[in-house]
Amino acid sequence: MAILRPLQRCSEFCLTVLLWVYFLFGYFIILLLFFIPVYVRLKRCDAALQKMNHLHLKCFFIWLGFLAPRTKFEIDEEVRALRSSIIVCNHISYLDPILLVSLFPRHTTIVKHTFFPVPIFGWFLKKAGYVPSSSSEIFSPAMTANLEGIKRHLAHGGNLFVFPEGTRGRGGRLLPFNKGVFSIARYCNTGLRLVSIRGTDSLFSPGSFSFHMLARNVISMKLIATLTPDYQAGDFSVNVLGDQAKEIFKQTNAADASGRS
C-alpha cells in the first residue's frame, strides 16, 4: 500500500498539468482566433468575451469531470436559473469563481486591482467588463463609474458574483465580510442571492498545485437565501445587512457539519 501513495500523487500531478495546459492555452486560442476579430468589429465587446470565457470554462469542467470521475457535481437548478442578480458566495477554493463563470454566460465579478496592470491579462479583464477592487471610498468617482456599469450589466440580464470574505477561507471557517459588497447592492437597488459552495476545496485545496483527482468528492452549489432589503428605510444599515448575510452562511455551515457527523 505504501507504494500506491507516490503513484497516486504522480498520477494526480500529471493530470493536473494536462488540465492547466488546457486552461492556459485555451485563453490564447480565445484571444487570437475569436476575441480579437470581435474586438475589431464591435464597439462594446464585454458580452462577447464573457460568453467566450463562459464556454471555455464550461469545457474546462467537462474535461475536469472526465479526469476526476469520482467527483460529482450537484448544482441546484435555482442557482443555474439566476439572472440579473447579485450573488454572494462563500470562498473556499480558487475553483469557486471559475465554476460560477462556467454557469453564467453573462457575468462579472470584482477582481483584485493588482491584476489589471498585468500585460495582456489585465487588458482581458478590462475588456470583459470585470471590476477592479478599490481601496478608496465606495462612491469615489472611479468606483461610481464601475457601479454604473454594474447597474447596466444587471439590467441586461447579467449576474454579479462576489466573495465578501475577499480571500479563501480554510477548513470551512468564514472570514470577516467586506461590507463594500452590500453597499454595491444598495447602490444598484437590488436584492442579494446567497449561494453556498461546498467541496471545491477538497478537489483543489488552497496552497496546492495538484487536483485531488482520484478522491471521492461531491461539489455542491445551492441557493440558501434571498435577501430583499428596504434600502429606503430610515433604519437601513449596510453593516446590519452584512452581518445578516454572514449569520445565514454560519448557520448553513453548522447545519452541513451536523449532517456530516
Side-chain angles (χ1 to χ4, degrees), residues 22-23 26-27 29-30 34 47-63 98-107 124 130:
Y22 167 81
F23 181 85
Y27 278 113
I29 293 172
I30 288 173
F34 298 103
L49 186 51
Q50 288 166 21
K51 182 68 175 293
M52 293 176 194
N53 197 20
H54 157 74
L55 292 174
H56 170 52
L57 293 179
K58 189 172 182 178
C59 292
F60 173 86
F61 280 99
I62 293 172
W63 183 224
I98 64 175
L99 178 56
L100 284 159
V101 171
S102 76
L103 296 177
F104 305 120
R106 289 285 279 128
H107 63 272
F124 184 94
Y130 297 127

Side-chain angles (χ1 to χ4, degrees), residues 201-213:
D201 55 340
S202 296
L203 178 61
F204 189 57
S205 306
S208 173
F209 172 79
S210 292
F211 286 84
H212 304 301
M213 299 284 199

Side-chain angles (χ1 to χ4, degrees), residues 3-16 210-211 214:
I3 197 173
L4 293 180
R5 189 173 296 277
L7 287 175
Q8 178 178 332
R9 289 177 178 173
C10 181
S11 176
E12 289 182 333
F13 177 83
C14 293
L15 292 174
T16 297
S210 292
F211 286 84
L214 305 180

Side-chain angles (χ1 to χ4, degrees), residues 1 26 38 41 52 66 75 89 109 142 157 183 236 243-244:
M1 293 295 291
V38 170
R41 297 182 62 180
M52 293 176 194
F66 175 75
I75 312 297
C89 306
T109 189
S183 295
F236 171 78
D243 291 341
Q244 181 185 0

Side-chain angles (χ1 to χ4, degrees), residues 99-214:
L99 178 56
L100 284 159
V101 171
S102 76
L103 296 177
F104 305 120
R106 289 285 279 128
H107 63 272
T108 189
T109 189
I110 298 173
V111 181
K112 286 184 179 180
H113 67 278
T114 53
F115 287 121
F116 281 79
V118 176
I120 300 178
F121 184 58
W123 180 80
F124 184 94
L125 292 173
K126 186 181 298 183
K127 295 303 178 183
Y130 297 127
V131 180
S133 62
S134 175
S135 57
S136 60
E137 292 294 324
I138 189 71
F139 296 118
S140 66
M143 194 58 190
T144 298
N146 288 324
L147 291 172
E148 285 298 316
I150 291 172
K151 285 180 71 173
R152 290 192 297 270
H153 174 79
L154 294 171
H156 286 87
N159 292 321
L160 165 69
F161 58 84
V162 290
F163 302 95
E165 294 170 273
T167 189
R168 292 161 293 177
R170 297 176 185 247
R173 182 173 59 90
L174 283 174
L175 301 177
F177 275 22
N178 184 328
K179 299 307 194 304
V181 168
F182 305 97
S183 295
I184 292 174
R186 179 179 63 177
Y187 186 92
C188 296
N189 194 32
T190 189
L192 300 164
R193 308 293 188 265
L194 308 190
V195 171
S196 174
I197 301 173
R198 291 285 176 270
T200 51
D201 55 340
S202 296
L203 178 61
F204 189 57
S205 306
S208 173
F209 172 79
S210 292
F211 286 84
H212 304 301
M213 299 284 199
L214 305 180

